[in-house]
Amino acid sequence: MPSIPKEFNRASYAYDLPGHLIATHPIQPKESAKLMVYERASDKLTHATFKEIFSFFPQDALVVLNDTKVMKARLFAHTPTKRSVEILLHRPQSLTTCLAQMKGKVRPGLALELEQGYSCEVLEVLGNGLRVLEFRHRGEVLEWGGVLNMLELLGHMPIPPYLKRPDTSADIQDYQSVFAKNLGAIAAPTASLHFSESARDHLLKHYQHVFITLHVGAGTFLSVESEDIREHPMHAEFVQVSPKARQALDRAQYILCVGTTALRATEHYKRGFGNAPCTLFLHAGNPVKHAHALLTNFHLPESTLIMLVASMVGLDKCLELYQIAIAHNYRFYSYGDGMLIL
């Protein structure tokens, strides 16, 4: 059997991260987070903070922002025998059914009780690990709008599992970006979390910008299982690019994306996929073609996100930058520090 080229071998994207560098809470104030700036053309590396970020943004850049809003998508229910079941709601499947992940054994027909008169029933167990649920309030079947109202009442912020802690009231604000508008994500577009309200206002006032919507799904946390990354089935996510955003993207000479989700949505549109669900997997064999710069966090080993970064800077350089970040005590993952690739 022929060997897998290094850039397509999942194991090539592994690295060792000391546990103390996993950020379990965001740093305050947000502008004090570290920022690594890597300029590809000159191979120049600069260590800065987010307080200085706009000194690195090219003035002629079109800044692409993801305005998705994180749902309180984690629910805790119990069976008639009082066994606890955790639900992570994904998205509507039809007018009255939803797709979800669930912890613990469940079977079709299982009825679950929540608080304040809410309940749900498992209608189907799918082969991809998802379950089809129907929610009710005092016996009346809920449509998606009613489910969203329920989440506001009963739901918990779906902070990443690697934080290994329960969500707190602070996460309701901390795990939501200042650009958030359109409800539907079950994970935050984390590069956006670095922006305070004042930084947001400065960006919107001084830079050409557009908002796109990509509702981040739980697939963002799924590890790549296949040894050859080209065989990885990428999860689908809702994307919407408005006519105004399309016009700006069509005219732009230099595109700077705030976050991998904004970048994937940009590439999805520029490659002609319109508002179809985004399943774009960017890696060495399918590299970034249309975006020129990316603001991003430091991502999990062997994840599709580190593979995206490597497609922009090269695998060896990506691993080198991550090792430098570790040596300089950068904080990693969703609540961690950031990197600007120019």
Side-chain angles (χ1 to χ4, degrees):
M1 183 176 176
S3 61
I4 302 169
K6 182 172 73 170
E7 66 271 22
F8 299 129
N9 191 323
R10 183 193 68 214
S12 299
Y13 295 87
Y15 66 91
D16 292 323
L17 180 67
H20 72 276
L21 294 183
I22 298 174
T24 56
H25 298 82
I27 197 166
Q28 298 293 345
K30 292 184 176 186
E31 285 83 355
S32 63
K34 293 179 182 179
L35 177 67
M36 178 186 287
V37 183
Y38 177 60
E39 300 174 53
R40 290 177 287 173
S42 61
D43 196 34
K44 181 182 177 183
L45 185 67
T46 305
H47 296 288
T49 67
F50 270 83
K51 187 176 181 179
E52 306 162 82
I53 190 167
F54 294 118
S55 64
F56 298 102
F57 273 26
Q59 198 59 49
D60 61 346
L62 173 68
V63 181
V64 182
L65 301 156
N66 187 0
D67 64 4
T68 188
K69 187 174 183 180
V70 181
M71 304 182 293
K72 294 182 181 178
R74 182 168 281 125
L75 292 165
F76 296 94
H78 61 267
T79 67
T81 60
K82 302 302 180 185
R83 177 169 63 88
S84 181
V85 177
E86 183 178 331
I87 301 168
L88 180 62
L89 209 57
H90 280 226
R91 61 185 184 273
Q93 186 204 42
S94 70
L95 193 62
T96 59
T97 61
C98 309
L99 294 173
Q101 286 175 292
M102 301 177 73
K103 280 188 179 177
K105 285 188 176 182
V106 295
R107 52 175 173 72
L110 179 66
L112 297 168
E113 294 294 324
L114 295 103
E115 297 172 2
Q116 299 188 35
Y118 288 95
S119 62
C120 74
E121 182 181 345
V122 180
L123 300 183
E124 195 175 350
V125 175
L126 303 180
N128 59 2
L130 295 178
R131 282 79 172 110
V132 181
L133 304 181
E134 179 183 81
F135 285 90
R136 295 180 176 145
H137 185 239
R138 307 200 191 285
E140 185 175 337
V141 174
L142 296 179
E143 296 183 359
W144 182 242
V147 173
L148 291 178
N149 290 337
M150 175 195 66
L151 293 181
E152 280 301 304
L153 283 172
L154 307 181
H156 295 252
M157 288 301 276
I159 60 172
Y162 52 71
L163 295 185
K164 296 181 179 177
R165 64 171 177 83
D167 64 297
T168 67
S169 58
D171 291 308
I172 295 172
Q173 183 172 339
D174 291 341
Y175 201 58
Q176 199 75 267
S177 92
V178 292
F179 307 110
K181 180 182 177 184
N182 294 312
L183 196 63
I186 56 174
T190 54
S192 298
L193 298 181
H194 292 289
F195 289 85
S196 62
E197 291 183 0
S198 60
R200 173 198 61 196
D201 295 345
H202 180 90
L203 189 160
L204 300 185
K205 181 178 180 181
H206 292 96
Y207 289 88
Q208 185 189 6
H209 60 275
V210 290
F211 291 100
I212 54 86
T213 304
L214 186 143
H215 290 327
V216 192
T220 191
F221 298 124
L222 291 178
S223 57
V224 176
E225 300 291 343
S226 52
E227 191 177 353
D228 187 327
I229 68 171
R230 293 169 293 186
E231 297 172 3
H232 175 67
M234 194 67 171
H235 57 285
E237 293 168 314
F238 171 92
V239 66
Q240 190 164 53
V241 184
S242 69
K244 179 182 177 182
R246 292 177 199 174
Q247 290 175 4
L249 287 167
D250 289 343
R251 292 194 307 263
Q253 299 298 306
Y254 189 98
I255 298 172
L256 188 160
C257 295
V258 175
T260 57
T261 60
L263 187 147
R264 289 180 63 239
T266 296
E267 292 284 324
H268 178 87
Y269 166 70
K270 295 285 280 183
R271 296 181 189 202
F273 294 112
N275 286 331
C278 180
T279 58
L280 193 59
F281 181 15
L282 297 167
H283 55 75
N286 184 32
V288 175
K289 296 177 182 176
H290 300 282
H292 303 87
L294 171 67
L295 176 66
T296 190
N297 283 27
F298 293 95
H299 304 293
L300 275 74
E302 299 186 7
S303 65
T304 60
L305 301 181
I306 192 174
M307 293 165 189
L308 182 157
V309 172
S311 84
M312 293 188 74
V313 302
L315 173 59
D316 291 341
K317 177 55 70 172
C318 178
L319 295 174
E320 178 190 335
L321 293 172
Y322 271 54
Q323 289 306 317
I324 292 170
I326 291 169
H328 284 78
N329 288 310
Y330 277 68
R331 299 159 70 249
F332 276 58
Y333 305 165
S334 294
Y335 277 149
D337 297 317
M339 174 164 59
L340 178 62
I341 302 169
L342 300 170

